[in-house]
Amino acid sequence: MIINSIALASIHLIVISRKSLIPYISEVRNDTLALGIGDMCANKGGVNVSFKLGAKRLLFINCHLEAHDHNLLRRNEQW
């Protein structure tokens, strides 16, 4: 069963769970962050889905950051 899904341009994330765990899942949230041109364009950035499973909070992240060695500082800033 799908708990949550989110997309930012071509960055996607789908979190799936067994049906037997659904009663223990709560506080489902998601968010996006665009980090492309001017930190606004969606060609770079990230998406996340978080939720509680019983007493534990889980966070899933998918991101597409600056590539190549010469962009190492920018990529670290984005992280």
Side-chain angles (χ1 to χ4, degrees):
M1 176 168 223
I2 295 176
I3 295 173
N4 201 299
S5 64
I6 189 165
L8 174 69
S10 62
I11 305 168
H12 303 272
L13 178 62
I14 300 172
V15 178
I16 300 171
S17 171
R18 293 178 186 224
K19 288 183 182 179
S20 62
L21 295 177
I22 297 301
Y24 305 103
I25 295 173
S26 63
E27 299 181 30
V28 179
R29 300 181 180 135
N30 62 35
D31 201 5
T32 63
L33 180 63
L35 294 171
I37 301 168
D39 287 338
M40 294 176 57
C41 188
N43 67 322
K44 302 283 186 246
V47 296
N48 72 65
V49 172
S50 69
F51 58 91
K52 285 183 78 172
L53 178 60
K56 300 287 184 180
R57 178 158 287 284
L58 301 173
L59 171 65
F60 296 87
I61 300 171
N62 187 18
C63 60
H64 182 221
L65 306 177
E66 295 286 339
H68 309 294
D69 290 343
H70 66 276
N71 289 325
L72 178 62
L73 292 177
R74 176 77 172 138
R75 182 171 50 253
N76 288 343
E77 288 172 2
Q78 291 172 338
W79 173 251

